[in-house]
Amino acid sequence: MSINFSLFGGADSLTEGRTTSPNGKQERSPRRVFRASDKKRDALAHLAPPQDPKDFLWLMTEEPHRSRRMAIMKAHPEVTKFMGLEPLTKYVVLFVVSLQVGLAIFMRNHSPLSPLFIFSAYAIGGTANHNLFLAIHEITHNLAFRGVAPNKLLAIFANLPIGIPYSAAFKGYHIEHHKFMGQDGIDTDLPTRFELLFLNNVLGKVFFATFQILFYALRPAFVRAQRFTRWHLLNIIIQIVFDYVLVSTFGARPLIYLIMSSFFAGSLHPCAGHFIAEHYLWDGMEQETYSYYGPLNWLAYNVGYHNEHHDFPSVPWTRLPALRALAPEFYDNIPSHPSWPMVIVNFIRDKEVGLFARAKRLAKSKVVDLDGKGVNGVVCSKRKGGEADDTEESEGVESSEESDKSE
């Protein structure tokens, strides 16, 4: 009697997408990512051997976005015209917040266990709250208003239908994700070794993909505590007041709907594939960032243009497609994902990708930031020549501490 080890989380037992060679040896899974310039997509023509699943990929090289940004600016100096504010953002935020609050109030007459309630929370609420997650991501880069404070207030407003205050904390962690991408102990987008040890199998990946919103919410507290500011306090107070008014006026069901929507937005939802698609390693390559150019970008502030976003954080969502069109010689040669939903499926079923499939760097011995005083006391990387990398600041990425000082 044969045993299906996939029931016990054994990724090695899965044969999805594999072919058998004439000598009876199983080949690798088909390729998952392709270049736009590929004339023929040979799904079995791998460019690199598979990664060792026992550890993360540790790199000694610099993250790729700074050097590519400099090269693009040299080749296309007109790229600076794409940088700046996008007034449309605040109107989209107002519409989606109004939609979600209105639908939450409507759901007060339906049981949270009813098919209508659950379907609405998944299909409409999950999509809407995912859109608000990415609105906060966009606003974090100060691209909605000219001043820092109006952007932070808009992010707090966009946070309301999410039900749980997080916009202020997200800003600090996300700016560090840009500045110190891949640095172990600083970039909280990276899985921890605990996750690698306990979730590196099929069932573990199913659990991670289902509850990934909780991993992104709780992981920073274990990896790197953030300095509590008045913006964190304001975010918490406004969210608690909103939740209290909603519950005291309409009952608990509207808030249940909003929190359920937030859970679905970061779970097994088609749009949630971007959380995995952006920085996990695929097909054995050392490429740290992947883009996606499909139609789901219409619902997600074009966050699929992720290489473009990391290269130029001050280019707003509406101009990222134009950025890619301006420099096809840089972007069409980078493999990208054809589908977000399939990213989740492939992440779970393909033994060549998992929690281990992330590139990490050790932080260097010099503690620096823009003023040379260190970044919250954590050892951070220093650029060649002994100068801190302030390129992101000039491109519109402002650290949370500096943002507060500017107030």
Side-chain angles (χ1 to χ4, degrees), residues 18-28:
R18 291 168 174 76
T19 59
T20 304
S21 62
N23 62 5
K25 182 180 178 181
Q26 282 196 330
E27 305 292 347
R28 295 174 65 183

Side-chain angles (χ1 to χ4, degrees), residues 126 162-163 167 274 294 300 326:
I162 293 171
S167 65
H274 88 84
L326 176 69

